[in-house]
Amino acid sequence: MALVPKLLSDTYVLRKCLRPGAALRPFLALRVADYCSSSLQKPVTPPGKASQQRSTQQGLQGHSQKEVALDVTFPEDKPEFNFDKAIKDEVKNHLRLLKDEIVSHWIGPEGRPMHEVLLEQAKVVWQFRGKEDLDKWIVTSDKTIGGRSEIFLKMGKNNQSALLYGTLSSEAPQDGESKESGYCAMISRIPRGAFERKKSYDWSQFNTLYLRVRGDGRPWMVNIREDTDFIQRKNQMYSYFMFTRGGPYWQEVKIPFSKFFFSNQGRIRDAQHQLLLDKISTIGFTLADKVDGPFFLEIDFIGVFSDPAHKEEFAYENSPELNPRLFK
C-alpha cells in the first residue's frame, strides 16, 4: 500500500515528460511495464531498520488517500495550444490598435476634440497607480558592467506612487578596464503602436517638465531622448538636474525645456542644440553623485506644463565657430 503513491507519481512523471506517438507506444509500453515490475520488487531491509520502515509505512498509509486524490489531472486533459488561433487574435488586437490610432488622429486624443487638447496647459504623461504603470519603465545599474550598485522599483503606499530605491556603490568593476562606476537609472519604455511601430510624444505646445516627487536630498539627472533611427545618434540626450530636498513632504519640480543641455556619450558638447519637443522618445532619471549608500525617490506623476511666465527659448549660447550651421 505504501508503494501506491510512488507508483502513481512515477507514472505521472513519465506521462508528463513523454507523450509518445503511435509508432513508439508499443515500445514504451514494454519499458513502462519493466519499470513498474522493478519498482514493485520488495527491497531487502536490514534487521536494524525494520522497525523504522514499519513506522514509515504506517505514516504513508495514513496519507495515501490524500496523495492519490490530488493526482487526478493528466496532461491529456489540458487544452492544446492552437497556434493559428493565437496568430489571428494577435492580428485582431493590432488592427484594433490601428483603428484607435486613426480615430484619435482625426477626432482627437482619447476621444476629446482637438481644440480642447491644444488649449490645455498641463498634461499628466505618466502616473503610478498600479503594476501596469510600472511595466512602462525599466531600471538598470552598473551591474551590467560588473558594478555593485542595486536598484529596485515597486509601488508605494496605497498604490498612489512609485518607489525607486536601492544602494549606490562607486567601487569599480574588477575587469582591468573600468576605472569608474556607480550609477542607477530608471528609463521609460519606448511607446509602441499597432504592429509594434515606434511612437513618440508631442510636447510642442508645452514649455516645462512638471513632476511631483519626494526624495532623500540627492540630486538626480533627468534625461530626455529624441525619437531617431540613426545609429550614430543613439547616445545623444538632453539633460538637466533635479534636486530633491529630503524630508517627509512632497515637492513639485518644474524644469523648463529650454534648460536641458545637449550631451553625447555622456559628455556635454560645446555646440548646443535645442530639444525638439515633437519627437520625444523616452525620459529617464539617473543617480550618479558618487555618494555610496542607500537612496530612494518616490514619484507621484510626471507631466508637462505650459508656463505663460516663461519666455526663454534656449538657455545656452552658440557661436559661429562652435555651430556654424545655426548662422548660415
Side-chain angles (χ1 to χ4, degrees), residues 127-147:
Q127 63 178 353
F128 302 94
R129 300 296 183 266
K131 184 180 180 300
E132 62 278 3
D133 298 323
L134 296 184
D135 294 338
K136 301 176 183 178
W137 297 79
I138 58 176
V139 292
T140 182
S141 69
D142 55 27
K143 270 194 170 183
T144 58
I145 60 173

Side-chain angles (χ1 to χ4, degrees), residues 150-182:
E150 293 183 328
I151 184 171
F152 307 95
L153 179 64
K154 69 175 185 179
M155 291 302 302
K157 187 177 181 180
N158 298 326
N159 290 338
Q160 295 297 311
S161 63
L163 182 59
L164 188 66
Y165 66 100
T167 304
L168 188 71
S169 175
S170 58
E171 181 179 350
Q174 303 298 323
D175 55 1
E177 298 180 0
S178 304
K179 297 181 180 180
E180 296 182 357
S181 182

Side-chain angles (χ1 to χ4, degrees), residues 111-238:
R112 297 182 298 163
M114 186 60 68
H115 68 275
E116 293 184 3
V117 177
L118 295 177
L119 292 177
E120 63 181 358
Q121 292 187 339
K123 178 181 180 181
V124 175
V125 184
W126 293 278
Q127 63 178 353
F128 302 94
R129 300 296 183 266
K131 184 180 180 300
E132 62 278 3
D133 298 323
L134 296 184
D135 294 338
K136 301 176 183 178
W137 297 79
I138 58 176
V139 292
T140 182
S141 69
D142 55 27
K143 270 194 170 183
T144 58
I145 60 173
R148 296 175 177 265
S149 300
E150 293 183 328
I151 184 171
F152 307 95
L153 179 64
K154 69 175 185 179
M155 291 302 302
K157 187 177 181 180
N158 298 326
N159 290 338
Q160 295 297 311
S161 63
L163 182 59
L164 188 66
Y165 66 100
T167 304
L168 188 71
S169 175
S170 58
E171 181 179 350
Q174 303 298 323
D175 55 1
E177 298 180 0
S178 304
K179 297 181 180 180
E180 296 182 357
S181 182
Y183 73 88
C184 294
M186 170 183 174
I187 308 170
S188 65
R189 296 184 184 273
I190 298 177
R192 299 283 179 174
F195 300 101
E196 295 299 320
R197 297 171 11 260
K198 286 200 308 183
K199 299 175 63 178
S200 60
Y201 300 100
D202 186 0
W203 298 343
S204 55
Q205 67 184 89
F206 307 99
N207 59 11
T208 304
L209 184 68
Y210 188 19
L211 309 97
R212 187 171 186 261
V213 300
R214 180 164 55 184
D216 56 359
R218 287 178 178 252
W220 289 76
M221 181 81 76
V222 183
N223 306 309
I224 298 178
R225 293 181 183 268
E226 295 177 344
D227 182 18
T228 177
D229 291 325
F230 295 102
I231 299 178
Q232 64 270 24
R233 297 182 60 184
K234 67 178 182 179
N235 294 321
Q236 296 180 0
M237 67 175 62
Y238 296 81

